[in-house]
Amino acid sequence: MKADPRGVLTGEHFIDGDHACCEGALAAGARFAAGYPITPSTEIVERFAARVPTVGGTFIQMEDELAASITLQGAVWGGAKAFTVTSGPGFSLMMEHVGYAAMTETPCVFVDVQRGGPSTGLPTLPAQADMMQARWGSHGDYAIIALCPNSPQECFDLTIKAFNLAEEFRTPVMFMMDEVVGHMTEKVVIPPADRIEIIPRKYTQKPAEEFLPYKGNGAMVPEMARTGEGYKFHVTGLTHDERGYPNMTPQIQDKLVRRLQNKIQFAADRITLCEEENLSDADVVVVSYGITSRVAQRAIDQARERGLRVGKLRLITAWPFPQERIRELAGRVKAFIVPELNLGQMALEVERAALGKAETYPLTHAGGGVHNPEDILRAIVEARR
Amino acid sequence: MSAELSVSVSNEDLGNPVEPFLRSDRMPHIWCPGCGIGTTVNSFARALIESKIDLKSVALVSGIGCTGRVAGYVALDSFHTTHGRAIPFATGLKLANPKLNVVVYSGDGDLSAIGGNHLIHAARRNIDLKVICVNNLIYAMTGGQTAPTTPDHATTSTNPYGTFEPAFNLPHLVEAAGAVYVARWTTFHARQLSRAIGEAFQKKGFSFIEVISPCPTLYQRRNRLGDGLETMKYYKAMSKVRTGAPTSEVGLTMNGEIIVGKFVDRNRADYQTMMRAQYASSLGEKFVELEAVCS
């Protein structure tokens, strides 16, 4: 379906990534946000708080992130598209409810504008050190979807995509911004509402007596029931059978947890998005994402000017990780260089996917700034030796 | 023979009147013999019957613990959430869908310890929720550890030499935080409890009903307070109905009086009423009502 025009601020804007993310959420149909203030993410909900009463919706500032991350899920079951917004310390507090959303298959979006950590770390300065937390942060096994915008325009476009993926797969989607992308101001073009594709929630058409709330359809994603329509359904974070009833047997645990994992992993080809350049002749590939991909671009351009055969692979989805693409490239390139604002997180995935067929060189940075493009260029030169 | 007994009963009437409110396919339940939680569910079901409320509109949200399992046994849209977070989940549910009657049904440890911050803030905001807090004075599901409600000197698995922390007086806490309706009953007072739940459904705003309930397996046994029946006798003998009692005076002790009754019944605009009024006055015609949108 097309976007509700009331939420779409069609036109050209000069706004930062945080504000663009908010507009993306509104365009996607988000009418509920619960938040707790934290730098450098707060501008997203500040804008939402100002905008949402004019489009018919609710913002509530909760008492903490534990509350915000479950309040939004109550709102989802109440019928809204909902999200929350945070940064590292708050993201840590929200992990319990990332797991609850995964287990109960509650479609929702968690925005993390990453800053330096661990703990309070660098409140106003960038990092990309929550990438593994986005994948593995809650206990237990589940798959996740995570997107990494690298510009205010992508903060708009990919936020819509995040909400659409959440509905399609009934999963929490992690929207992994960073402080620089969040606070970077650029032109953002918001198209007319009739050119924005929205995936609506898939509500069951079955009568209550035939409806099983956790019976996956062909795509392994169950339909939802609307609260208040007499379905008398049950939702629990306990291991549950297709009726939604608690069941503590290894058989039901196996069936449920594998479905939660497989509904995303089996669709990885369809979900995964990369931006690629010059891979056909490359012998070295720079793998990057978020703000680091823009710093890396300069190094790649300089290397190309020198005649070095370097390619670019930008992760737009970090999770599911595009392991097949990396594996295929590893068979014909010499090395991957992975600059990121952490001590080597996605580099581990690249190395894993490469199966030893190509070298992987992490180019680490503990956060608080961005890489110097010259360091990336030097790494490219050295990797080709 | 009393007049009541002389009324003829048809075969259909012989079933348990609360059965339609339960998920019979989930019986037997997990609660121990002598536990009071089932009694509270019975009172809750009777309140729903008597209030003639549209059951489709009732959503029940629980946290974790013995009382947290109520959500799994009622034939309603029901949500068994995470430990302590029933109230914020219910807050989102209610704000997104104001037509729902949202009930939070959970235990003392869930609502007042791990969820204590949410309890006071929901009361402060006056979110239109009906909170039923079954207080068995202990963490029962995990084996009888000290809760914020455990009375002074009681023995628990984590205070084997007796507790020494002062306990929360929950009615006092929620009144101070802003609740519009506060009552306490015990599981001996099944009818009064049912009436109180019915009254809470008539209130708009944050309503809190504390139900003192036995845990014969862990609290009563460890403190040599007898079985479930003995506890009913204690509740009967030591409960004093004091409607309108100052909540500062209703704290509990291990063997003492239990002050019960309706303590607070006042009116104050609820969160969504205040929100709409504020938006309407600040935004005028630009304000779009929530009901106009469906996702």
Side-chain angles (χ1 to χ4, degrees):
Chain A
M1 66 184 255
K2 304 299 178 191
D4 173 0
R6 279 173 296 194
V8 183
L9 207 61
T10 303
E12 290 189 4
H13 306 271
F14 190 58
I15 52 177
D16 72 15
D18 280 357
H19 286 222
C21 172
C22 171
E23 290 304 330
L26 287 165
R31 294 294 179 268
F32 190 96
Y36 187 81
I38 186 167
T39 306
S41 74
T42 316
E43 292 91 330
I44 302 174
V45 288
E46 285 174 343
R47 189 177 179 108
F48 194 82
R51 293 262 287 130
V52 80
T54 68
V55 301
T58 303
F59 169 70
I60 182 166
Q61 183 172 304
M62 295 304 292
E63 50 275 12
D64 56 32
E65 287 92 344
L66 300 161
S69 57
I70 193 79
T71 300
L72 81 96
Q73 297 186 49
V76 169
W77 286 98
K81 286 190 176 180
F83 71 120
T84 190
V85 167
T86 192
S87 186
F91 201 47
S92 293
L93 288 175
M94 290 180 177
M95 282 302 130
E96 178 185 20
H97 293 135
V98 171
Y100 188 75
M103 188 61 146
T104 57
E105 300 181 72
T106 301
C108 55
V109 175
F110 289 77
V111 178
D112 176 14
V113 187
Q114 295 171 87
R115 67 193 222 185
S119 191
T120 312
L122 304 169
T124 63
L125 298 171
Q128 297 176 306
D130 305 349
M131 300 306 295
M132 282 292 174
Q133 187 180 24
R135 173 64 188 87
W136 303 103
S138 197
H139 56 279
D141 280 316
Y142 57 95
I144 205 81
I145 298 174
L147 302 173
C148 298
N150 79 348
S151 67
Q153 182 68 52
E154 276 199 352
C155 288
F156 176 81
D157 297 337
L158 294 180
T159 298
I160 296 171
K161 186 158 194 70
F163 277 94
N164 283 346
L165 288 167
E167 295 297 337
E168 185 176 356
F169 293 96
R170 273 191 70 176
T171 182
V173 174
M174 307 291 113
F175 198 66
M176 304 303 289
M177 296 168 58
D178 55 68
E179 184 276 332
V180 181
V181 167
H183 286 159
M184 166 193 287
T185 298
E186 288 182 341
K187 185 166 95 169
V188 174
V189 180
I190 299 182
D194 62 10
R195 291 184 46 206
I196 298 174
E197 237 4 272
I198 298 300
I199 297 184
R201 187 156 303 158
K202 202 167 175 199
Y203 286 112
T204 187
Q205 303 297 318
K206 288 181 180 163
E209 53 283 5
E210 289 172 29
F211 176 64
L212 288 171
Y214 286 96
K215 188 176 170 60
N217 53 28
M220 294 189 284
V221 183
E223 297 170 333
M224 288 178 78
R226 288 178 195 272
T227 308
E229 296 202 341
Y231 281 87
K232 300 178 181 178
F233 61 87
H234 184 53
V235 173
T236 178
L238 287 166
T239 296
H240 45 271
D241 61 19
E242 292 175 342
R243 296 171 298 176
Y245 290 177
N247 185 313
M248 302 296 115
T249 63
Q251 291 77 19
I252 293 293
Q253 165 76 358
D254 185 83
K255 193 174 172 189
L256 173 61
V257 175
R258 287 189 195 280
R259 183 173 63 74
L260 295 180
Q261 177 110 324
N262 292 344
K263 71 176 178 179
I264 290 169
Q265 294 302 354
F266 288 3
D269 286 352
R270 196 147 52 83
I271 300 168
T272 307
L273 282 175
C274 296
E275 184 190 346
E276 302 182 347
E277 265 176 40
N278 297 319
L279 291 180
S280 55
D281 70 340
D283 51 18
V284 170
V285 177
V286 178
V287 181
S288 62
Y289 56 93
I291 188 57
T292 308
S293 67
R294 297 185 62 166
V295 182
Q297 185 71 48
R298 184 180 170 92
I300 293 166
D301 292 346
Q302 286 173 341
R304 278 273 158 189
E305 281 163 24
R306 291 192 195 177
L308 304 180
R309 294 205 306 260
V310 56
K312 166 172 116 179
L313 190 146
R314 175 165 76 94
L315 305 174
I316 297 173
T317 49
W319 309 111
F321 184 75
Q323 61 180 17
E324 296 305 325
R325 184 63 176 141
I326 294 288
R327 191 158 296 168
E328 189 256 317
L329 288 169
R332 57 189 170 88
V333 306
K334 208 169 161 184
F336 296 102
I337 296 167
V338 191
E340 49 186 339
L341 297 179
N342 57 52
L343 299 190
Q345 295 193 9
M346 298 313 291
L348 293 171
E349 279 296 289
V350 175
E351 186 175 36
R352 182 184 66 78
L355 290 173
K357 291 188 219 159
E359 289 293 326
T360 300
Y361 296 105
L363 197 57
T364 60
H365 185 309
V370 297
H371 289 76
N372 186 334
E374 284 168 21
D375 292 336
I376 302 175
L377 180 60
R378 195 174 308 117
I380 293 168
V381 172
E382 282 172 12
R384 293 181 75 255
R385 286 200 183 122
Chain B
M1 185 185 275
S2 77
E4 265 181 56
L5 288 175
S6 69
V7 173
S8 71
V9 232
S10 73
N11 282 340
E12 288 92 315
D13 291 333
L14 288 173
N16 186 332
V18 305
E19 200 173 327
F21 296 84
L22 301 175
R23 293 191 173 111
S24 305
D25 53 348
R26 289 222 57 219
M27 297 297 140
H29 56 68
I30 63 157
W31 298 314
C32 303
C35 172
I37 299 170
T39 305
T40 73
V41 173
N42 201 309
S43 295
F44 173 67
R46 286 172 191 275
L48 290 179
I49 296 170
E50 279 157 31
S51 66
K52 298 188 172 60
I53 204 161
D54 178 8
L55 291 184
K56 285 203 287 190
S57 76
V58 181
L60 190 143
V61 184
S62 286
I64 298 296
C66 291
T67 310
R69 293 305 186 96
V70 168
Y73 297 132
V74 291
L76 298 168
D77 291 339
S78 57
F79 302 92
H80 183 224
T81 65
T82 51
H83 198 15
R85 320 298 170 209
I87 284 177
F89 184 98
T91 297
L93 190 62
K94 179 68 186 177
L95 296 189
N97 195 341
K99 286 178 190 154
L100 296 173
N101 288 293
V102 181
V103 178
V104 171
Y105 211 124
S106 218
D108 49 307
D110 185 80
L111 287 167
S112 76
I114 187 166
N117 200 27
H118 312 312
L119 177 70
I120 59 176
H121 285 283
R124 171 181 67 81
R125 295 185 182 107
N126 203 20
I127 309 280
D128 186 17
L129 302 175
K130 322 299 162 199
V131 180
I132 299 167
C133 174
V134 179
N135 183 358
N136 56 14
L137 311 175
I138 208 154
Y139 285 96
M141 181 71 91
T142 47
Q145 296 80 20
T146 301
T149 45
T150 308
D152 223 2
H153 310 305
T155 300
T156 70
S157 69
T158 48
N159 279 113
Y161 312 112
T163 60
F164 43 86
E165 292 180 19
F168 258 147
N169 169 350
L170 295 179
H172 193 38
L173 178 72
V174 295
E175 182 190 15
V180 294
Y181 182 94
V182 182
R184 174 198 281 156
W185 296 99
T186 76
T187 51
F188 176 74
H189 302 90
R191 285 175 188 278
Q192 292 91 330
L193 172 59
S194 199
R195 200 177 311 129
I197 295 169
E199 284 181 2
F201 272 114
Q202 300 304 316
K203 296 291 291 184
K204 198 167 172 65
F206 191 85
S207 300
F208 184 86
I209 300 168
E210 180 185 33
V211 195
I212 309 302
S213 174
C215 176
T217 307
L218 294 161
Y219 180 76
Q220 267 74 20
R221 178 177 59 82
R222 198 167 260 131
N223 288 287
R224 303 179 192 285
L225 295 168
D227 59 10
L229 186 59
E230 285 297 311
T231 308
M232 286 303 108
K233 288 176 182 165
Y234 163 60
Y235 289 171
K236 184 183 178 194
M238 295 300 283
S239 292
K240 295 284 177 294
V241 180
R242 279 180 62 195
T243 303
T247 54
S248 58
E249 297 173 9
V250 306
L252 298 168
T253 56
M254 200 162 83
N255 299 302
E257 265 188 354
I258 304 172
I259 308 296
V260 295
K262 179 166 73 176
F263 304 138
V264 178
D265 189 349
R266 58 188 172 182
N267 292 314
R268 183 162 84 85
D270 77 301
Y271 182 88
Q272 277 171 311
T273 304
M274 293 185 286
M275 182 181 82
R276 280 203 299 274
Q278 187 69 30
Y279 285 157
S281 79
S282 294
L283 288 166
E285 286 177 359
K286 286 189 197 159
F287 172 45
V288 176
E289 285 275 359
L290 181 66
E291 283 77 8
V293 177
C294 42
S295 63

